[in-house]
Amino acid sequence: MQAIINILQAGVASGTVLLFATVGELFAERSGVLNLGVEGMMLIGAMSGYSVALATGNPWLGVLVAMLAAGLLSQIHAFIAITLQADQVVSGLALTFLGAGISLVLGEGLSKAGTVSLLPSASIPLLSQIPFLGPIFFKEQSYLVYIGYLFVPMAWYYINRTRPGMHLRAVGEYPAAADALGINVYRLRYLYVFIGGVLAGLAGATISLAVSPGWFSEMTTGGQGWIAVGLVIFAQWDPFRAAVGSYAFGALRRLILDIQGPTMLLGMRNPFYYNPYWGFFLQMLPYAFTIIVLVIGSREAVRKRLGAPAALGNPYIRGERGL
Amino acid sequence: MDTLERKTTNPSVAEGATLFVEMNGIVKRFPGVLANDHVDFVLRHGEIHALLGENGAGKSTLMNVLAGLYRPESGTILVKGKVVNFSSPRDAIKAGIGMIHQHFMLVPSQTVTENILLGLDKPRFRLQLNEYDHIVADLSERFGLKVEPRAKVWQLSVGEQQRVEILKMLYRGTDILIMDEPTAVLAPQEIEDLFKTLRAMVAEGKSIIFISHKLHEVMAIADRVTVLRKGKVTAAGLDARKTTLQELARQMVGREVIFHLDKKLNTPGEIVLEVEDVCAENDKGLQALNGLSLDVRAGEIVGLAGVAGNGQRELAQVITGLRRCTDGCVILNGEVICNRSALVGIQRGVSHIPEDRTGVGTAPDLSVTDNVIMKQYRRPPIAQHGMLNMQVATKFANELKESYDIIVPNVETPVRLLSGGNLQRVILAREISGQPSLMVAVQPTRGLDVGAIEGVHRLLLSQRESGAAILLISEELEELLSLSDRVYVIYEGRIMGEVKIGAGGSSPEMIDTVGLMMTGTPLEQIRKGEAERNV
């Protein structure tokens, strides 16, 4: 029982990384811009956050810089996709390579640079006493995990129940209609791509300063940016579903790591311990899932049925009919 | 200077009437086209003013100038006596001018209320939808625009969506409403409702500009009429009560139009196409066809009437092999052709004139030659030992260019440079040259001018005489009733009934019956109602 609680507790922390990245991408896609550069932006965030925390001793300053750095990087994609109206898939892929490249060069030597003060954790009184759920969600979790809990309903409320959220949806669904009523489509799309970048940067800093601290070059994120892109489709562009998916995948990641530890499993020899190939197979699963979701989700008809923003991936050109 | 008392040179302005809008000497040029050539237009307070003209006459351009979408090269605009200079639709709305476009500017996934509030400063942050739902409901009641504020726009019929557009403008305090071909998408009963609303708005002191090319409607609703032809005003502010259909038609097209087609009597032959209990889904995975059956015989034109979006598109796709049917079957000359491929259909003699001319009907960047050989290139003489013989292809294209009057410098021109009418002639040339046994024509005259429409009609009738079976899917009731031998009416993927059109052409009762079926009343019910009334 305690083992299960431990795995789920670590899973929630690990899922918080996916949560920020997924909801960030969800904002960008809701405005009609597909940004496949999440992985690159997360790496920039993880690297810059870690190095600022190392230099200043203040992890919160690290988080702030991580968010700004990734937000800045996202604006390259915004310029190419929104102003130059180029193909968003190509530009997003390029952004991943660019982000990875920059962070590997600037992060050279960072992995053995010494220890860094991490983001604080805390237990919530009373709530952490709830049997089973208490220790999973409210015991010894990083502050960022709690911020994640508050963030999801706020994101949902913002998108569905506020005026700026309504404008966000309109711009992603039918930009011509929004434009005709005086909404600045380009400005809003820049803004939400920026917010997506900021949240990807936060996700990166969550890894390097809280969940699995340190800088391990591209292994720091280990493809979680791609899982986030897949989760947005899985979540059907809804923050609550995104949260469910993120925590489930966080828990799965922990389970895959932890299941390879013990020599005995359920009274039998643990195949994941004795045979490394079984472990590799397990590690592959989240990525296999992501590939399947992305392939299925790339079909126009399926996307429509899932409720994708109608103008997702289409640059807006004023005066052209339709989307 | 007080502009209201200013003497005007425009003869159509009666003394004493308040002027809402005065446009003087508007010139608007597009690359290669003079869309508005020194156009004057005057709108009075509390009138419905029709702007009549063929496609491409410059009606929409003139109104886009007034609505702030386009900036004119020269000319002045006065609104309620003040000179205005709009740089965006937002400025125009602030001055009280709102335009409803042919393509609705609504966000399908949002509710009616959300669409109405879009782009406004209030509510500031929280949407407070409950409160605003009430305000919208009150407004819709006041003008007889029945619509559920909480409904999502994609759930609404086209007529309801139009009401949302009108509400959007009323909510913004618009008192000059421009409507671009508002009846094109409506069923006859919905048109009557729209006219009632427009009259209610005029009674509240608003003015309406009604862009149309349909003479009957203009006569039914307008107080005054301004006619445009080729960018110039040919009649300014005619009193609708003192003019005639023939007079307006003459101003519009510059010659007398033939309203009756020369349709020869024809005895239909064998059944060519049989559609039996076909079911199919649309792109969203929703049921679009619910057990639909119909048949078409050789040498007859069978019309399919219905309001847009009731399954016409899906039916055409199932017949031409572009969409799977989930149940039922399609039989062509005794052979099942559904759920096979488009190629099977083409080889068995199905020709298709699609609704979407540039996406489905042609490859816009390819030449006229490439486009006309698309259904022939597999066979000799164009295919020779697996290669294309471009000499034969070019000769073939030139022959079609001559016989179908395709106006183009040479056949190497990419078809995207062709006008709508010419593009449709390219498609018709390709489809007819294959000597089809079945022709599926979807909206073959949409967006074409009167001359081009006549050409298309003649080609369809000559195909009928040469024994082809023709399924004509159109939203133009007039066109369907004058061309077809029989008309089916489709509603929500089902056939509501069938009307036979005899030698005498269509009658007003026929139009009423078709209109009722288009809005969902099955034929048996209409007959029953009539029988009861007669008893």
Side-chain angles (χ1 to χ4, degrees):
Chain A
M1 191 63 182
Q2 187 57 41
I4 293 172
I5 289 177
N6 285 344
I7 287 174
L8 291 178
Q9 188 185 9
V12 168
S14 164
T16 303
V17 174
L18 286 171
L19 177 73
F20 288 134
T22 305
V23 177
E25 176 65 7
L26 190 148
F27 271 108
E29 292 194 12
R30 269 298 180 94
S31 81
V33 183
L34 178 70
N35 187 353
L36 294 181
V38 183
E39 178 79 3
M41 299 188 295
M42 280 174 74
L43 278 168
I44 287 281
M47 184 277 297
S48 57
Y50 189 74
S51 73
V52 167
L54 196 68
T56 63
N58 184 344
W60 290 109
L61 199 62
V63 170
L64 192 72
V65 171
M67 289 164 76
L68 284 177
L72 210 63
L73 186 71
S74 75
Q75 295 304 287
I76 297 176
H77 177 65
F79 179 70
I80 295 170
I82 301 167
T83 304
L84 301 183
Q85 294 155 353
D87 188 291
Q88 298 181 3
V89 172
V90 176
S91 165
L93 284 174
L95 196 73
T96 285
F97 294 127
L98 184 66
I102 294 173
S103 54
L104 291 191
V105 170
L106 295 181
E108 180 70 40
L110 207 58
S111 50
K112 353 187 221 308
T115 50
V116 60
S117 53
L118 301 175
L119 292 169
S121 321
S123 298
I124 307 269
L126 293 177
L127 286 178
S128 58
Q129 304 300 319
I130 303 170
F132 193 66
L133 293 179
I136 292 173
F137 288 101
F138 301 109
K139 198 174 170 192
E140 284 303 311
Q141 292 286 22
S142 168
Y143 279 21
L144 286 176
V145 173
Y146 299 122
I147 291 174
Y149 298 158
L150 296 178
F151 181 62
V152 173
M154 275 164 58
W156 184 90
Y157 187 84
Y158 179 83
I159 293 171
N160 293 299
R161 290 286 183 270
T162 71
R163 186 177 70 102
M166 177 174 80
H167 288 182
L168 161 65
R169 282 180 282 136
V171 161
E173 290 286 343
Y174 195 176
D179 192 30
L181 295 173
I183 296 169
N184 191 327
V185 175
Y186 300 110
R187 195 162 68 201
L188 282 189
R189 286 191 167 177
Y190 266 96
L191 174 70
Y192 288 108
V193 171
F194 182 73
I195 288 176
V198 163
L199 288 168
L202 176 62
T206 308
I207 302 175
S208 65
L209 292 173
V211 175
S212 41
W215 172 250
F216 313 99
S217 51
E218 76 271 18
M219 292 307 291
T220 315
T221 54
Q224 291 190 68
W226 293 108
I227 296 179
V229 172
L231 277 176
V232 175
I233 298 172
F234 172 79
Q236 302 186 355
W237 295 267
D238 175 79
F240 280 111
R241 286 170 193 256
V244 171
S246 299
Y247 292 132
F249 264 76
L252 187 65
R253 267 176 74 86
R254 288 310 304 189
L255 179 72
I256 290 165
L257 281 179
D258 292 345
I259 209 169
Q260 298 173 55
T263 50
M264 298 295 283
L265 197 67
L266 303 169
M268 298 186 301
R269 275 161 54 94
N270 181 355
F272 303 111
Y273 178 81
Y274 288 102
N275 189 343
Y277 297 113
W278 281 95
F280 293 148
F281 179 77
L282 283 183
Q283 282 170 22
M284 181 197 75
L285 284 179
Y287 305 104
F289 163 82
T290 302
I291 292 172
I292 292 167
V293 167
L294 286 178
V295 168
I296 295 173
S298 66
R299 281 192 54 201
E300 187 81 21
V302 177
R303 270 222 307 254
K304 262 188 198 162
R305 203 180 298 194
L306 289 176
L312 180 58
N314 302 330
Y316 177 60
I317 305 163
R318 186 181 263 186
E320 283 207 346
R321 272 188 180 167
L323 294 173
Chain B
M1 163 175 103
D2 190 350
T3 39
L4 284 178
E5 286 171 23
R6 195 170 56 99
K7 273 192 190 140
T8 171
T9 50
N10 193 324
S12 69
V13 183
E15 270 73 31
T18 322
L19 302 187
F20 252 27
V21 175
E22 249 190 293
M23 301 175 85
N24 292 315
I26 301 293
V27 176
K28 176 70 195 171
R29 210 181 292 274
F30 291 112
V33 194
L34 187 56
N36 285 159
D37 184 5
H38 295 91
V39 174
D40 298 332
F41 178 79
V42 175
L43 180 71
R44 287 184 201 156
H45 175 252
E47 71 167 347
I48 298 178
H49 194 134
L51 196 55
L52 186 67
E54 287 189 85
N55 288 297
K59 307 170 299 235
S60 298
T61 305
L62 183 69
M63 287 303 118
N64 280 327
V65 167
L66 182 57
L69 267 169
Y70 298 154
R71 309 193 89 172
E73 265 90 53
S74 71
T76 54
I77 304 172
L78 287 86
V79 176
K80 293 165 202 160
K82 285 196 204 86
V83 176
V84 291
N85 205 346
F86 300 140
S87 58
S88 78
R90 209 174 200 189
D91 295 344
I93 290 172
K94 270 188 197 135
I97 299 174
M99 180 158 174
I100 295 172
H101 298 267
Q102 270 173 293
H103 298 262
F104 294 148
M105 293 290 188
L106 296 171
V107 183
S109 60
Q110 297 190 346
T111 69
V112 170
T113 305
E114 283 181 316
N115 267 286
I116 288 169
L117 296 178
L118 207 58
L120 295 173
D121 297 331
K122 277 181 185 166
R124 290 202 72 81
F125 187 75
R126 213 163 68 77
L127 273 181
Q128 300 158 294
L129 279 180
N130 285 332
E131 212 169 292
Y132 283 94
D133 282 341
H134 282 298
I135 298 174
V136 170
D138 288 347
L139 190 68
S140 71
E141 198 159 320
R142 198 171 119 209
F143 289 96
L145 292 157
K146 223 183 88 202
V147 65
E148 165 60 44
R150 284 161 206 268
K152 296 252 160 91
V153 164
W154 64 265
Q155 299 170 315
L156 303 179
S157 72
V158 186
E160 287 173 309
Q161 291 186 18
Q162 188 177 59
R163 284 175 224 157
V164 180
E165 282 280 27
I166 299 174
L167 282 172
K168 207 159 89 178
M169 292 305 157
L170 290 173
Y171 186 81
R172 281 162 174 72
T174 305
D175 44 22
I176 298 163
L177 189 69
I178 307 165
M179 303 195 77
D180 195 354
E181 312 234 348
T183 57
V185 291
L186 302 180
Q189 274 80 1
E190 286 178 316
I191 293 177
E192 210 29 67
D193 288 342
L194 172 70
F195 284 2
K196 268 184 212 147
T197 304
L198 295 186
R199 288 191 190 105
M201 287 168 63
V202 169
E204 292 220 8
K206 298 180 188 298
S207 296
I208 291 154
I209 302 171
F210 187 94
I211 304 178
S212 179
H213 58 227
K214 294 182 185 163
L215 296 171
H216 294 280
E217 281 168 9
V218 167
M219 292 298 279
I221 186 75
D223 300 313
R224 293 197 304 149
V225 187
T226 293
V227 187
L228 282 180
R229 186 166 87 233
K230 291 180 181 157
K232 286 189 180 147
V233 175
T234 53
L238 296 179
D239 188 330
R241 277 153 301 186
K242 291 182 192 154
T243 186
T244 61
L245 268 180
Q246 280 67 23
E247 167 66 19
L248 287 178
R250 212 174 303 127
Q251 299 290 358
M252 192 168 121
V253 295
R255 60 191 155 90
E256 299 280 351
V257 207
I258 316 137
F259 275 104
H260 290 284
L261 288 158
D262 179 27
K263 196 165 94 182
K264 293 196 176 70
L265 273 179
N266 221 5
T267 341
E270 297 284 299
I271 290 182
V272 173
L273 173 76
E274 270 183 281
V275 175
E276 284 179 3
D277 299 321
V278 161
C279 296
E281 291 177 348
N282 64 13
D283 293 339
K284 283 187 175 159
L286 304 171
Q287 192 85 359
L289 298 177
N290 294 304
L292 182 144
S293 302
L294 55 79
D295 58 74
V296 186
R297 290 169 180 274
E300 70 171 349
I301 297 181
V302 171
L304 185 70
V307 177
N310 273 297
Q312 295 97 317
R313 207 171 78 89
E314 286 78 10
L315 177 65
Q317 288 172 335
V318 166
I319 295 172
T320 52
L322 297 171
R323 182 178 291 274
R324 294 190 63 80
C325 58
T326 51
D327 200 8
C329 70
V330 179
I331 298 166
L332 181 78
N333 293 323
E335 187 185 359
V336 175
I337 56 160
C338 55
N339 290 348
R340 290 174 77 178
S341 71
L343 183 61
V344 171
I346 291 168
Q347 285 166 344
R348 308 296 189 276
V350 176
S351 80
H352 182 200
I353 295 154
E355 186 178 5
D356 177 5
R357 278 167 220 153
T358 48
V360 181
T362 56
D365 288 331
L366 296 187
S367 68
V368 173
T369 308
D370 288 338
N371 272 288
V372 292
I373 65 167
M374 270 177 189
K375 288 193 168 170
Q376 312 252 353
Y377 73 95
R378 289 165 192 277
R379 282 174 304 194
I382 292 172
Q384 277 172 3
H385 318 295
M387 308 272 278
L388 289 181
N389 185 335
M390 285 316 284
Q391 266 174 322
V392 177
T394 309
K395 189 163 159 277
F396 174 66
N398 274 315
E399 282 167 16
L400 292 184
K401 174 179 175 256
E402 289 305 315
S403 48
Y404 288 88
D405 281 330
I406 301 164
I407 300 160
V408 57
N410 60 62
V411 290
E412 305 311 320
T413 313
V415 294
R416 72 183 143 82
L417 300 176
L418 270 57
S419 71
N422 269 314
L423 193 63
Q424 189 68 313
R425 281 196 278 272
V426 169
I427 296 171
L428 281 161
R430 178 184 68 213
E431 298 299 329
I432 292 174
S433 64
Q435 283 157 352
S437 64
L438 171 71
M439 221 164 150
V440 180
V442 189
Q443 311 284 4
T445 59
R446 176 183 275 182
L448 303 186
D449 61 42
V450 170
I453 289 174
E454 243 184 72
V456 171
H457 286 173
R458 268 202 211 105
L459 282 173
L460 289 177
L461 285 173
S462 76
Q463 279 303 297
R464 168 178 173 265
E465 269 157 47
S466 62
I470 299 169
L471 179 64
L472 174 64
I473 301 177
S474 173
E475 283 154 28
E476 296 285 332
L477 208 48
E478 229 168 289
E479 167 175 288
L480 281 174
L481 293 173
S482 57
L483 281 176
S484 309
D485 299 293
R486 289 184 290 143
V487 173
Y488 288 101
V489 182
I490 188 171
Y491 178 76
E492 291 189 341
R494 286 192 192 87
I495 295 294
M496 287 290 120
E498 179 191 342
V499 173
K500 284 202 171 60
I501 295 160
S506 57
S507 62
E509 295 86 58
M510 223 177 250
I511 297 172
D512 285 350
T513 309
V514 171
L516 279 169
M517 288 196 277
M518 279 167 75
T519 46
T521 321
L523 187 60
E524 305 98 66
Q525 215 167 311
I526 300 169
R527 294 260 156 86
K528 223 170 86 188
E530 275 169 10
E532 276 164 17
R533 233 173 298 140
N534 291 340
V535 165

